[in-house]
Amino acid sequence: MTRLVLRRLALLVPTLVGLSILLFLWVRALPGGPATALLGERATPEAVERINELYGFDRPLPEQYVTWLGQLLQGNFGVSTRTNRPVLEEFLARFPATIELSLVALLVAVGVGIPLGYLAARHQGRTVDHAAVVVSLLGVTIPVFFLAFLLKWLFAVQLGWFPSSGRQDPAMIATHPTGFYVLDGLMTREWDAAWDAFLHLLLPAVALGSIPLAIIARITRASVIDVQHADYVRTARAKGLAPGHLRRRVILHNAMLPVSTTIGLQVGLLLSGAVLTETVFAFPGIGKFLSDAIFALDYAVLQGFILLIAVVYALVNLAVDVSYGLIDPRMRAR
């Protein structure tokens, strides 16, 4: 397992360096450039020239990249032109909100997707199977932002069952030592604050988790069907292995390898989908802040947030690779 982790960590370095180069070139190619973004309405040709000289934007691109990379290694991701605060501070302030939302969305996707896919596989060709396939197709085809608007309109505006925006009721007095509002409420025993934060999470989490749920259900169904017709499963069944033990320890265990891969890949989808979901529900996470930065041409935030999200995604993929070794020991030698 140690060798597996070290090999995967070694592969992360060139991946992140390559991403940083692409991101650097992409931002430099955007209309107006960094100098125009910094100056805003005061972007006269003379002022743009002064900013380019001051920040080194007029230097050759390789020199700019090396300078920028050196700043990144020191933890300097730049300063937001909208808030005048360091990009890293803005990211860390909003990161718990997005992680909390993504975790709940992932719990919804996994908690519903795996049982749904397993039931569909067990009843292959029957009504349950057909219903599961229809649900998964709907989950994949309905856009996240449309589902978010629909859930908000129905359950928040029309029925009033859930809050329509934010992370917590503004009138709620609560302590937030970690920034994870539900966890904070449980830690401080402020049960009303924890429940209120959880209610604020449900609608955006269901919207955000809809596509991963559908994909996980389909992959689980296909994997379980494939495994339950394998020779070793038929052998175990012929030897009289208890049905419950056969399902849990043989079929599900061996079917989880492709499912765990899918779950890991969906984390990237959750982080990208959070931009739309957080915008619809005015949820103050990194997705909402990144969306605002796009319209404000806040290049420092665009560069920093995308790179930091990529680091998180890479670490999640590392965790998925480690899970391979735990599920199937044969993967440790690869």
Side-chain angles (χ1 to χ4, degrees), residues 149-201:
F149 276 118
L150 184 63
L151 292 174
K152 182 177 180 179
W153 174 80
L154 179 60
F155 293 103
V157 177
Q158 296 297 319
L159 299 177
W161 291 354
F162 298 96
S164 61
S165 61
R167 294 187 69 189
Q168 204 162 50
D169 188 339
M172 179 74 63
I173 300 176
T175 308
H176 301 300
T178 68
F180 297 93
Y181 282 15
V182 175
L183 178 62
D184 291 340
L186 297 176
M187 289 173 56
T188 58
R189 297 187 180 183
E190 297 172 348
W191 312 118
D192 55 340
W195 178 247
D196 183 71
F198 178 70
L199 291 179
H200 278 78
L201 279 172

Side-chain angles (χ1 to χ4, degrees), residues 38-274:
L38 287 170
L39 292 168
E41 297 178 354
R42 298 167 295 174
T44 62
E46 296 79 10
V48 170
E49 185 177 355
R50 287 196 301 270
I51 290 296
N52 284 335
E53 292 178 359
L54 180 63
Y55 289 95
F57 296 143
D58 57 346
R59 298 174 186 172
L61 287 179
E63 185 179 343
Q64 290 187 48
Y65 173 75
V66 171
T67 302
W68 177 63
L69 187 61
Q71 292 174 346
L72 292 182
L73 294 176
Q74 297 174 23
N76 180 11
F77 287 80
V79 177
S80 170
T81 56
R82 293 190 301 123
T83 63
N84 291 321
R85 292 182 60 194
V87 171
L88 186 59
E89 287 186 13
E90 296 286 7
F91 183 85
L92 293 177
R94 291 162 176 78
F95 187 61
T98 298
I99 290 299
E100 191 172 46
L101 174 60
S102 298
L103 285 176
V104 176
L106 191 61
L107 286 175
V108 171
V110 173
V112 177
I114 290 179
L116 184 64
Y118 178 72
L119 284 175
R122 281 198 64 191
H123 303 279
Q124 184 182 4
R126 302 177 186 174
T127 304
V128 174
D129 184 24
H130 297 321
V133 171
V134 170
V135 170
S136 65
L137 286 175
L138 287 174
V140 171
T141 55
I142 297 178
V144 172
F145 69 90
F146 176 75
L147 181 60
F149 276 118
L150 184 63
L151 292 174
K152 182 177 180 179
W153 174 80
L154 179 60
F155 293 103
V157 177
Q158 296 297 319
L159 299 177
W161 291 354
F162 298 96
S164 61
S165 61
R167 294 187 69 189
Q168 204 162 50
D169 188 339
M172 179 74 63
I173 300 176
T175 308
H176 301 300
T178 68
F180 297 93
Y181 282 15
V182 175
L183 178 62
D184 291 340
L186 297 176
M187 289 173 56
T188 58
R189 297 187 180 183
E190 297 172 348
W191 312 118
D192 55 340
W195 178 247
D196 183 71
F198 178 70
L199 291 179
H200 278 78
L201 279 172
L202 275 182
L203 288 184
V206 170
L208 184 58
S210 59
I211 294 179
L213 186 155
I215 295 174
I216 290 171
R218 293 179 69 87
I219 295 297
T220 302
R221 176 184 179 275
S223 183
V224 171
I225 289 174
D226 185 57
V227 169
Q228 68 184 5
H229 292 108
D231 291 338
Y232 60 86
V233 173
R234 286 197 292 267
T235 301
R237 188 179 288 115
K239 288 184 176 181
L241 193 66
H245 185 78
L246 179 67
R247 288 195 295 267
R248 291 191 304 271
R249 301 294 299 174
V250 179
I251 296 177
L252 266 180
H253 183 82
N254 287 281
M256 281 301 103
L257 189 59
V259 176
S260 65
T261 305
T262 303
I263 293 172
L265 293 175
Q266 295 313 301
V267 173
L269 180 64
L270 291 175
L271 293 176
S272 60

